Amino acid sequence: MISDPLLSEGVDLTVVLIIIGKALFVFVLLLVTVLILIWLERKIVADMQNRIGPNRAGPFGILQSVADGVKLFFKEQSIPESADRPVFRLAPYLSVVPAFLAFSVIPLGGEIEIAGHTTYLQLAEIPIGVLFVLAMSGIGVYGVTLAGWASGSKYPLLGGVRATAQMISYEAALGLAIVGAVLHGHTLSTRGMVLQQGPWEGWGTVADWFFIAVPVSFVIYVIAMVAETNRAPFDLVEAEQELVGGFHTEYTGVRFAIFFLAEYMNMVTMSALAVTLFLGGPAGPEIDFLPHLWPVVWFLLKVSLFIFVYFWLRSTLPRLRYDQLMDLGWRVLIPLAILWLGAVAVFRVGSDQGWPVAVTLPAVVAGGLLIMGFLWLSMPRREPVVRRGSTSSEEVHRG
Amino acid sequence: MTERVHTPEEQERLVEQTDEGTQDDLLPRTEDLVVTGAQWPDEGNTMIVNMGPQHPSTHGVLRLVLELEGETILRCKPVIGYLHTGMEKTGEELTYVQGCTNVTRMDYASPFFNELVYSLAVEHLLGLDVPERATWIRMLLCELNRVASHLLFLASNGMDIGALSMMIYGWREREEVLRFFEKVTGLRMNHNFIRVGGTAADLPDGWQDDVLGLCDIVLEGVYDYDALLTENPIWLERTVGVGVITADEATALGVTGPILRSTGVAWDLRKDAPYLAYPEVEFDVIYTDNGDCFDRYRIRLNEVVESLRIVRQCVEKMPGGDYRVQDLKVTPPPRKRIDESMEALIHHFKIFTEGFKVAGGETYQAVESPRGELGCYLVADGTSRPCRMHVRAPSFYNLQSLPVMMQGGLVADSVAIISSVDPIMGDVDR
């Protein structure tokens, strides 16, 4: 069992101060990241759309998010007359607090020494860190759902109902994808997962990262992660073309800002978890100059890779419809994840018991095909759309 | 898409619950116009959602009253009148010379067509023959306007289905067209350029290069949209089989334009009731069979290409000569003649104060606007103002197809469907 060496020699004032310091550091880091992310998203999407994007506040408009935040903090906060007032007030915090908490178990780097104490660059190392993240994202659903319900208005209600269904469905896929990685890594601790993927020993280490070992889990995780954070193309919860603003239609001022903050923090947390589980966490080339800093840099770089994918998807893809989203979740991702989980489990037991691969591999493939065939046969099918008439000659002819 | 059949009791309950009357009860009642559905229904699982007139996807001020069961639309009722401007009535107070300034503001996404149909109607009443060059200039501008209008559709359609970048891409190419319009007419919209007797001015020097250049840019853009959307699985999921309307329903409702053509009826006034010089140019009428949102998107995408074909032929075949009739009773004299000739000055003064008189009679002229059949009905009574003007606005008729298309769809579909109808509310309410 891994546990933070900071706590192994008893708790005194310094230890408490160090923990408070780390908590503040993570808090500020997340806030600053979110501010930069919002600016980056607007800049990157603007670039993809032949626009300039924000360029007034500060150099390259980098202070735009700060300006927006200040504006929102000074705005009047109106509460609709038909709203359930206590719940309406509570909902934003239900959304933002779990987003903060979930990040606390993510390992940002290796060990450092402060004031004679050795500690991890991680706010909290708990033995079931992965489950903790899932639990927190489960609580985050309440924020969105209750916001929609408590607004006493129809569009937010639709948004809230969609959110509940979507997030619960994709949480299942997300959880199953994570279980695949956990089975392979033999641990539920986030730092344990990083350690399982090995310390950096040149670029060959990349092959030990779990996105190579459990690729299907990785793909399912990435898809489910986009849906879980309600981002395009799965942003039905706040589909502005349909539901005006979705669950936060009736929110103004600070409370609106908090929802916004929560969304971006969830993006960061989910990406960070992906990096931790599948991309080796903070592992990366070791450099002698400032050796403790570089793991954090590698970690942030890997996270920004996922974040960029978020932006890229948003500016490219149309939005899925509600029923199509559910189809994808329940009919594709979850069965696939369960099948994959079975395969991983068989291999795991096989390697522990010393079964020859020549036996396990065909057995797994045959079993998988059998189950997939059965599922395919038993699945209700949508009527295919019939296309009458030949339209090929009328298609756009390329010049 | 399954058609939902109500039992009589259920039907009655729905009527009672919603105060909105049944869909087939088309008699207008005062309570139809009252905002209903503020309360939850006492029984049953349906909910009335009021979409618009202030809503991001209702293309201005369209209001839809949707009855939902979960997210499924049971009934839909479009409510119009939020942009009523009384332009038809205003047209009866303005002289024939001033009329174009008025009508150009109706369908603000395709102003040239409004001016054209009004001018055609007045010219028909006057028995006036327009010079050949004027006809070709009109055709050139109208086809470019069709391109601009369809680009606006592609942009907003992409936006409504969630492809955010598509909005900017469509506007980017449309901007090229508008820039040319600005060079020719001085304005980006509401041009008042096509006037009774011809056009307001000749095309500027070097217009051929501008037009050919913008044709290439727009075509390049259309290929981009095709690559971005047409084969995109999410795009197909969202549009194929959504908002289906049959040819019978479309013709019964008076729907024209791309919506009618998407149902397999190849009806296009440019071919079926030719005006201007359309018989002299080569182009195809685009039509498909499925009548869904995807086909309406595909038709407009291909129509842009066809329009560009016509534009290129216009550049090639543009005849020389005058850009307006030199009938001093209808068109003003050239500016420099006013300094030299007393008669010219008098004509100028008369035209811009009293206007010209049109002998009694009535006419209906129609053109194929980007949205369908745009018609103008004029009654003249011998004065310089029309006695009655009515515009058959395609958007108004096309909106009637919304309840048919929406039944059984989801809330998300409603946005795709409104967008695929491409209504311009200025055109609807006039």
Side-chain angles (χ1 to χ4, degrees), chain A residues 239-303:
Chain A
E240 66 200 29
Q241 285 83 9
E242 296 145 29
L243 302 180
V244 192
F247 64 92
H248 58 54
T249 305
E250 302 287 357
Y251 279 86
T252 49
V254 180
R255 295 196 187 103
F256 172 76
I258 287 175
F259 273 123
F260 217 69
L261 201 65
E263 179 184 328
Y264 279 80
M265 281 195 313
N266 275 325
M267 273 167 66
V268 178
T269 310
M270 283 293 158
S271 307
L273 189 65
V275 170
T276 306
L277 294 181
F278 297 101
L279 291 188
E286 278 160 16
I287 294 168
D288 289 337
F289 176 69
L290 290 175
H292 294 303
L293 181 70
W294 288 104
V296 181
V297 172
W298 301 139
F299 177 80
L300 290 178
L301 276 181
K302 287 177 196 173
V303 169

Side-chain angles (χ1 to χ4, degrees), chain A residues 127-388:
Chain A
I128 49 157
V130 176
L131 287 187
F132 180 75
V133 173
L134 277 181
M136 285 304 120
S137 84
I139 292 180
V141 182
Y142 278 104
V144 173
T145 311
L146 290 179
W149 182 74
S151 294
S153 167
K154 286 170 187 177
Y155 286 110
L157 183 81
L158 276 176
V161 171
R162 279 182 178 192
T164 320
Q166 173 181 345
M167 289 166 93
I168 287 175
S169 310
Y170 276 80
E171 206 143 286
L174 191 84
L176 287 170
I178 290 177
V179 171
V182 166
L183 262 189
H184 190 78
H186 268 312
T187 174
L188 276 171
S189 138
T190 44
R191 179 158 293 268
M193 289 300 284
V194 172
L195 292 178
Q196 285 288 329
Q197 298 176 60
W200 183 261
E201 288 159 2
W203 290 100
T205 316
V206 175
D208 294 340
W209 291 353
F210 285 175
F211 78 100
I212 303 275
V214 281
V216 179
S217 289
F218 177 63
V219 170
I220 294 173
Y221 180 89
V222 171
I223 297 174
M225 145 183 126
V226 178
E228 183 69 13
T229 46
N230 300 324
R231 295 280 303 180
F234 307 116
D235 57 341
L236 316 171
V237 172
E238 45 199 280
E240 66 200 29
Q241 285 83 9
E242 296 145 29
L243 302 180
V244 192
F247 64 92
H248 58 54
T249 305
E250 302 287 357
Y251 279 86
T252 49
V254 180
R255 295 196 187 103
F256 172 76
I258 287 175
F259 273 123
F260 217 69
L261 201 65
E263 179 184 328
Y264 279 80
M265 281 195 313
N266 275 325
M267 273 167 66
V268 178
T269 310
M270 283 293 158
S271 307
L273 189 65
V275 170
T276 306
L277 294 181
F278 297 101
L279 291 188
E286 278 160 16
I287 294 168
D288 289 337
F289 176 69
L290 290 175
H292 294 303
L293 181 70
W294 288 104
V296 181
V297 172
W298 301 139
F299 177 80
L300 290 178
L301 276 181
K302 287 177 196 173
V303 169
S304 43
L305 186 78
F306 281 96
I307 301 279
F308 178 76
V309 172
Y310 270 118
F311 299 159
W312 195 7
L313 287 176
R314 182 179 166 212
S315 68
T316 312
L317 292 179
R319 179 181 300 115
L320 277 168
R321 209 172 56 199
Y322 180 64
D323 58 325
Q324 294 158 355
L325 177 90
M326 286 299 171
D327 266 9
L328 179 69
W330 287 102
R331 289 193 184 168
V332 182
L333 291 185
I334 292 180
L336 190 67
I338 292 176
L339 274 184
W340 174 250
L341 193 61
V344 171
V346 169
F347 273 113
R348 201 69 238 181
V349 174
S351 71
D352 286 353
Q353 303 284 329
W355 298 341
V357 179
V359 178
T360 43
L361 187 67
V364 164
V365 170
L369 285 179
L370 205 70
I371 297 174
M372 263 158 105
F374 176 73
L375 281 179
W376 186 73
L377 284 177
S378 63
M379 239 180 213
R381 233 159 263 132
R382 241 187 302 176
E383 288 295 310
V385 176
V386 186
R387 300 191 157 279
R388 279 165 291 141

Side-chain angles (χ1 to χ4, degrees), chain A residues 48 50 154 162 241 315 394, chain B residues 37 48 57 71 165 172 302:
Chain A
M48 290 180 178
N50 287 349
K154 286 170 187 177
R162 279 182 178 192
Q241 285 83 9
S315 68
E394 292 149 15
Chain B
I48 305 287
S57 312
E71 286 221 15
S165 302
R172 180 183 62 191
N302 284 281

Side-chain angles (χ1 to χ4, degrees), chain B residues 333 337-349:
Chain B
R337 287 285 298 149
I338 296 173
D339 298 338
E340 299 162 354
S341 146
M342 180 58 88
E343 283 75 23
L345 183 63
I346 291 170
H347 276 129
H348 186 270
F349 182 74

